Amino acid sequence: MVPSWRPCWASPLGCLLVLLACGADEPSGSIVFKLGTVLQETFSAQCPGTIAMHLGHKLATDRLNEGIGHGEGGHVTELFVKDAQGSRHRIFFNYTRYEASCDEGEHSAQVERAIGDGAHFLLGNTHFAFTESAIANNAQRLVHYCCPDTDELFDLDYKYVYGVAGSVKKDTHQALTAMALDGSIRRLFVYYTEDFRYATVTCTAAIEHTTSMLSQLNPDFKIVSVMKYSSQNVTSAANFFDSVVAEEAVRAEADAVVGCDGQDAGIQTAKAFARRKYYLKALFLTWAPLHSGFVSSVGGPEAANHILTVAHWHPIARGLADTFFGTPVEYAAAFEKEHGFQPDQLHAVASATVLSLAWAIQSAFEQCTFVKPSMDAASLLFDSDAIKCVDSLGVPFPNNPNGYALVLKSLAGQAKTTFFGGIEFNRFRRNIAAQPLTLQVQSGVNQVVLPLEQASKKLIMPVPRPVPPEKTDRIGVLEKDNFIAVVVVVVMSALLLLAAVLLFGMFRRMRRQHANRVKSLLVIPPEHLQIINLPVRLLDGSWESGKAILRNSLVALEPLSEVMLAGTSGDSFNLSKARKIPENALSSFDGGTPSGHGPISRPEASSLDWKNCEPIVDIDMETVNGQDLNHLKRTCSGDLGTAPNLLNMRPSMQGSDVASVGNDGSQHNRFPQPPSRFWKKQNQQSFHGGALSCSQILDLVLRARTLQHPSVVPVTGIVWSLPDLLSDAPVLVTECQELGTLASVMDNQTIELDFVKQLDIAKDLASALAYLHAQDNPQLGPALPNKLCGVLLNKHCRAKLRVPLTALQGSQNVMKTHKQESMLPGMMREADQHELADVCQFGMGVACLFTADRSSTSQTASSNAIGMQQMVEGCALARTQFHELQFTRGPGMAQLLRECCALDARKRPCFTQICKRLEDAELEMIRVAQQAACQHSHSAPQLHLHNKQSADKLLYELFPAKVAEALKNGQFPDPEPYPCVSLFFSDIVGYTDICSKLATQHVMDMLHRLYSRFDDLATERGLFKVETIGDAYMCAGNLRHPQPDTHAALMADFAFGCCAAANEEPVCLSRPDMGFIHIRVGIHTGPVTGAVVGTLNRRFCLFGDCVNVASRMESTSTKDHVQCSAAFKELLQQQWPEAASLAEPQEAKLIKGKGIMHTFYLYPPQKAHAAIDASNPPSGPGLQAPPLSSPFLKDAIEGW
């Protein structure tokens, strides 16, 4: 026979589409891979199924080549080969079918012809699998089988032979196991034909499974008879399946039958049992029930009902989907649209085989770089010089493999879920993830009943025994049994009604007693608190928590800004406008879900216009005692919506406070906020706002108090109002966390969190969230505020999460709606969605915690400037941030955070998995940190190696003399106040962009050159270098050495010198095109406290409001300018009048945590006049250090 073959896309329309796809929007072109298969196009009884295989192959290749349905329903039908540099080539398949009859010799010849024609890959024919596999393996060509029905082929362990279909030996296991577990089925009859290899293998495996496994599971379950027959036996006996098969089942008194045969034999067997009306508790048949006319052939739904069969795929199977074909239902629709009839399992597995190969090619070259800009498939697969590959750590492979080996490796490691089922290959390259489906005819339709996760209906076993109708007695119009039931129901209803009345009275009394106990447990009278400092309302609308002593314990006072009491407007409260509540309002509190809960806005959602977006809360008079009402009256006597509300506002820092914010929930711009529809939904609901009574608030506080975890902030109780607090919000009393919020500590330039503390913080937070989302009664809503503003640090630098009441209140609505709504295929539970939303917040926050940039302002600006092209694919992380995580925290940690920030929530891990992976990544982080330290030390200039200082000298360089002496003596130094110091902050303009363009060693060389000059200038002027963090440099005057009369002048002169030195240093010595370094400087003066914190890698840190203000002066300054505060300018007027008189005032600025401030630009005396005359700040090469014209300045500097 002359073989006929034709490419599936060789039609004029197909060629036009391919040419257009190859040239449109794809500068790298496309690659056409040749697929060959030898299949018979006409039906043959000896080689069935070849037509179905061909149609399944053709549908997948056509869909990929022509892009049918691309983008429709979210399915991706255009696939690309992409290398590590992002170069993409469109994948096309030239699918060619070679015609051959059902003859082994002719088939082998056609296989050799396909290989000779240059076919890159072969799609196998099941019927000649052994000879075909041997030829392909010898020719080193991959042959991918869709549906081989024997394991012996894969036992040969051919390197180039793969199979998508699972083993048929397990086809009957699910049904047999269900029979054994049923308990009522004990006698099994098995029959099968020896003419059909699939039938022989299937039933032989069923017999072995029953005797070896199920007999131990249920000793009473056993095989009573086994019958083997051939086609000769069928023709020799009249009505063989009735007179022989059915008769043997009746003789053996079998109550279950398993038959392995073809379509016609199965129909005849089912008809025989139906005609005999022999009761079987279970009947399992292969192939026949899958036929579309099976039900009508056996005599209708009544005869066919409850018959079991097996399939490797079915359109109604649940829980299966992919991005190419979608769900099984969508695949069936696409196939029917193309061919006009519904597909069966052979069509589906053939299409899945092509899809598996396409995915393997797509992912094979992700760690490689295409050396040639354009290439064909032969060059890509067989030319080892066309690609260069590296491993996951960036190390090139010692023996650069060719593309064909990479495709085989990608296919071997494939683990995918498709519309057909799972695809995962074992060491013999056989798919072990595909599970057979057990189907049962119910109401005349095949339904999937096993496995349960894909089932569409419940398995019915044993089959119900037909019950003949019986005559019943009647009493009146009702049957006797129904009449008795009605009488019983009426009597029981009366008794139940009486009991309900009694129980209701008892229940009301118990609820009232319980409410009183809860009130005594949670409500704290104000007089029991020894107030240290009251909570303070910040300008951004958030609150800085106060502190108090309660029962000899330090506690934090946090106003519940997410709720307001009824009758309030803004910050005021009018008791006469409060809505009256019945006296028994509190008695309705029973510790369970309160009725009428209104939504609560999140704490971080508050802003300067917070009054317009907070819900109203009813005042439950019964829950507030007389003293509380007096405090409410005193507190709310005025209208704080007007000017007096500014009396209680102050900046977030005081001179005595640590540079980080206290134990509060204020916002920080440190963390970029990813989009989340869950937070949006919560905030939208808060505007609608039902009212909350005091009892309902107590309910939420009680729920918060019951959360017991080492990493969750313990809640002590609630105070309805505090004296002298100009707000009507209730105050939550919690355990005080000494270091305040995590975001404020990260913004503090004097506190450095090493990688060990960072990892501990991440593990603490993940552990707390895993505990919270494991709650079942009730389930919690989203518990992690955006920007991690609810994460606090105690004095041991361990993280604790303050759970917002919104998470507790939102969980009640989740519980009510979740029980009523049915889950659609592919949908997640609401609780899982909340957890995955927190996972994204966690990933974004921890990624910022682990990266080097500690500037809140720059972080926000950079995050807003990130475009989609700068984001990691499918993730909310920036590429530079992800690369920094890989370098500084290891690939494992970087991959974990990438998955947490995945845009597709279904790809994010849960917190239980995150906790385990954080533990596993700890050793890798330590190793990577050590390597980074070694690399940093090796890259330092060799000039300093022979000038190594002694230990004592190094100690005195790092710490002031008093602190150094204490550390030498083994003592922990006490904090030391400094009443007036000058602080200097600087950073490099465009540092993030510089890091993305230069190698690490060049960035380190730039910083070393710049900081060395800064160190020399500081040494000349007797200033103390506090620390450097990345590109930030911090210096202090009047700290190590007394300089009470000159430290402002010395600091200003130091700033001018630093600007001049920076403008003289090139960014990169080997790249003059990048120009010179530019910095921005901020200076402030004021009191600070110096202390050594922690026990590991001790650092001398400065605390106080002065530190934050100096940092804000730097972050709001501009290129090559020195910005100072009004306080520093006044002091400079006394110490260096020439420079102070030339200070240029700036427009009033809104400084974070301080409000409106007036700042000044400082200029060296010899340049200031020219700058002022030009009415613009100088934009030349930068400020130059002034000559030492002032005698006192010369004397001050020469003194050092």
Side-chain angles (χ1 to χ4, degrees), residues 425-574:
F425 300 99
N426 61 8
R427 60 179 297 270
F428 295 103
R429 291 162 289 281
R430 183 71 182 271
N431 186 11
I432 59 174
Q435 296 188 56
L437 304 176
T438 300
L439 278 63
Q440 187 175 44
V441 180
Q442 296 184 10
S443 300
V445 179
N446 275 327
Q447 300 288 349
V448 180
V449 293
L450 291 174
L452 295 179
E453 61 270 16
Q454 299 180 27
S456 59
K457 293 290 184 179
K458 180 181 178 181
L459 172 66
I460 299 177
M461 184 179 292
V463 175
R465 183 186 294 272
V467 179
E470 297 181 357
K471 295 183 179 180
T472 57
D473 297 333
R474 290 180 176 272
I475 301 178
V477 295
L478 298 177
E479 296 180 0
K480 182 178 180 179
D481 293 341
N482 293 341
F483 179 82
I484 296 174
V486 170
V487 173
V488 171
V489 168
V490 171
V491 174
M492 292 300 298
S493 299
L495 294 176
L496 289 176
L497 181 61
L498 179 60
V501 173
L502 296 176
L503 290 176
F504 180 73
M506 296 175 59
F507 183 63
R508 290 190 60 187
R509 181 179 178 184
M510 293 174 60
R511 282 194 302 176
R512 187 178 294 106
Q513 294 175 351
H514 179 69
N516 293 333
R517 288 195 298 268
V518 172
K519 173 186 172 184
S520 62
L521 177 66
L522 297 181
V523 178
I524 301 174
E527 56 269 17
H528 289 184
L529 296 173
Q530 301 178 23
I531 305 297
I532 298 177
N533 59 279
L534 289 171
V536 176
R537 187 69 176 272
L538 304 180
L539 290 177
D540 62 355
S542 60
W543 286 88
E544 177 183 342
S545 64
K547 294 181 177 63
I549 301 296
L550 175 64
R551 305 183 188 97
N552 297 325
S553 297
L554 183 63
V555 295
L557 306 176
E558 301 183 16
L560 291 177
S561 56
E562 59 261 51
V563 297
M564 290 196 313
L565 294 176
T568 62
S569 175
D571 290 342
S572 65
F573 172 71
N574 188 346

Side-chain angles (χ1 to χ4, degrees), residues 849-893:
L849 173 66
F850 283 168
T851 50
D853 186 9
R854 293 170 63 92
S855 172
S856 298
T857 305
S858 62
Q859 176 71 20
T860 303
S862 63
S863 65
N864 293 334
I866 293 177
M868 290 304 296
Q869 67 275 14
Q870 295 177 305
M871 305 291 288
V872 178
E873 183 178 357
C875 176
L877 290 178
R879 293 182 184 272
T880 55
Q881 191 178 26
F882 179 69
H883 294 328
E884 182 178 352
L885 288 170
Q886 286 182 313
F887 178 74
T888 59
R889 296 298 181 266
M893 181 60 68

Side-chain angles (χ1 to χ4, degrees), residues 349-396:
V349 69
S351 297
T353 304
V354 176
L355 184 57
S356 170
L357 178 59
W359 276 339
I361 296 173
Q362 182 185 34
S363 60
F365 305 94
E366 293 178 349
Q367 298 295 330
C368 303
T369 302
F370 296 155
V371 177
K372 300 178 181 180
S374 62
M375 66 187 78
D376 56 9
S379 300
L380 179 64
L381 294 176
F382 303 111
D383 186 0
S384 59
D385 295 330
I387 56 176
K388 300 296 180 183
C389 303
V390 298
D391 58 17
S392 60
L393 296 178
V395 179

Side-chain angles (χ1 to χ4, degrees), residues 652-934:
S652 61
M653 298 296 170
Q654 291 181 347
S656 60
D657 289 342
V658 179
S660 62
V661 181
N663 186 17
D664 64 72
S666 60
Q667 299 183 19
H668 296 275
N669 293 330
R670 166 68 178 164
F671 303 99
Q673 181 178 3
S676 175
R677 68 184 183 91
F678 308 113
W679 297 131
K680 182 177 180 181
K681 179 179 179 182
Q682 288 279 2
N683 290 332
Q684 288 176 346
Q685 290 178 347
S686 67
F687 299 130
H688 305 157
L692 293 182
S693 66
C694 292
S695 61
Q696 292 170 334
I697 297 177
L698 284 178
D699 182 19
L700 298 179
V701 175
L702 180 62
R703 294 179 188 274
R705 184 185 173 100
T706 57
L707 298 175
Q708 300 295 325
H709 190 273
S711 297
V712 173
V713 175
V715 174
T716 303
I718 189 173
V719 180
W720 290 121
S721 65
L722 285 177
D724 304 325
L725 180 63
L726 301 182
S727 173
D728 63 344
V731 178
L732 192 66
V733 181
T734 65
E735 181 185 86
C736 183
Q737 308 303 316
E738 293 80 0
L739 295 184
T741 64
L742 171 62
S744 62
V745 172
M746 295 171 65
D747 282 339
N748 189 351
Q749 301 288 343
T750 64
I751 300 179
E752 180 177 1
L753 298 174
D754 56 47
F755 74 94
V756 177
K757 291 187 179 67
Q758 293 174 358
L759 181 59
D760 288 340
I761 292 172
K763 291 196 294 186
D764 291 342
L765 186 55
S767 175
L769 290 167
Y771 163 77
L772 292 175
H773 287 291
Q775 305 297 314
D776 292 330
N777 187 22
Q779 296 174 349
L780 269 68
L784 186 59
N786 58 350
K787 310 175 187 177
L788 300 190
C789 60
V791 180
L792 310 174
L793 298 181
N794 61 12
K795 62 181 179 182
H796 303 294
C797 210
R798 300 308 297 261
K800 291 193 175 186
L801 176 64
R802 210 282 257 176
V803 181
L805 296 187
T806 52
L808 303 171
Q809 190 267 348
S811 65
Q812 301 167 17
N813 295 331
V814 170
M815 292 179 64
K816 293 178 181 178
T817 59
H818 177 67
K819 296 180 180 179
Q820 300 173 359
E821 296 179 359
S822 60
M823 297 296 293
L824 297 177
M827 291 183 59
M828 294 181 293
R829 297 185 305 117
E830 191 78 9
D832 295 335
Q833 295 176 358
H834 292 166
E835 180 176 6
L836 295 180
D838 279 348
V839 168
C840 185
Q841 295 281 7
F842 172 84
M844 298 291 291
V846 174
C848 293
L849 173 66
F850 283 168
T851 50
D853 186 9
R854 293 170 63 92
S855 172
S856 298
T857 305
S858 62
Q859 176 71 20
T860 303
S862 63
S863 65
N864 293 334
I866 293 177
M868 290 304 296
Q869 67 275 14
Q870 295 177 305
M871 305 291 288
V872 178
E873 183 178 357
C875 176
L877 290 178
R879 293 182 184 272
T880 55
Q881 191 178 26
F882 179 69
H883 294 328
E884 182 178 352
L885 288 170
Q886 286 182 313
F887 178 74
T888 59
R889 296 298 181 266
M893 181 60 68
Q895 181 62 28
L896 173 59
L897 296 180
R898 177 177 181 174
E899 294 177 13
C900 291
C901 299
L903 298 180
D904 188 353
R906 293 172 296 183
K907 297 181 180 180
R908 301 171 192 164
C910 65
F911 279 109
T912 303
Q913 297 170 340
I914 291 174
C915 291
K916 183 179 184 302
R917 292 176 66 176
L918 285 174
E919 294 290 345
D920 298 339
E922 184 171 5
L923 294 179
E924 182 188 42
M925 284 187 60
I926 295 175
R927 176 179 60 80
V928 171
Q930 291 174 345
Q931 291 177 353
C934 293

Side-chain angles (χ1 to χ4, degrees), residues 137-213:
N137 196 69
N138 292 335
Q140 296 184 355
R141 286 294 185 274
L142 169 66
V143 55
H144 209 9
Y145 285 97
C146 65
C147 38
D149 56 3
T150 177
D151 291 338
E152 285 77 12
L153 173 65
F154 296 93
D155 292 339
L156 298 176
D157 198 16
Y158 285 149
K159 177 181 178 182
Y160 293 86
V161 178
Y162 284 77
V164 170
S167 174
V168 299
K169 291 183 177 181
K170 298 182 179 180
D171 281 4
T172 60
H173 287 188
Q174 292 178 347
L176 288 172
T177 303
M179 295 179 192
L181 293 176
D182 177 73
S184 65
I185 301 176
R186 299 183 179 182
R187 303 175 65 84
L188 178 65
F189 168 60
V190 179
Y191 77 97
Y192 61 91
T193 178
E194 295 178 305
D195 297 333
F196 191 15
R197 185 173 60 183
Y198 167 78
T200 304
V201 173
T202 303
C203 267
T204 303
I207 295 171
E208 181 182 356
H209 182 63
T210 303
T211 56
S212 61
M213 299 294 296

Side-chain angles (χ1 to χ4, degrees), residues 4-18:
S4 63
W5 60 275
R6 186 172 72 94
C8 68
W9 49 278
S11 64
L13 177 59
C15 293
L16 178 61
L17 290 174
V18 170

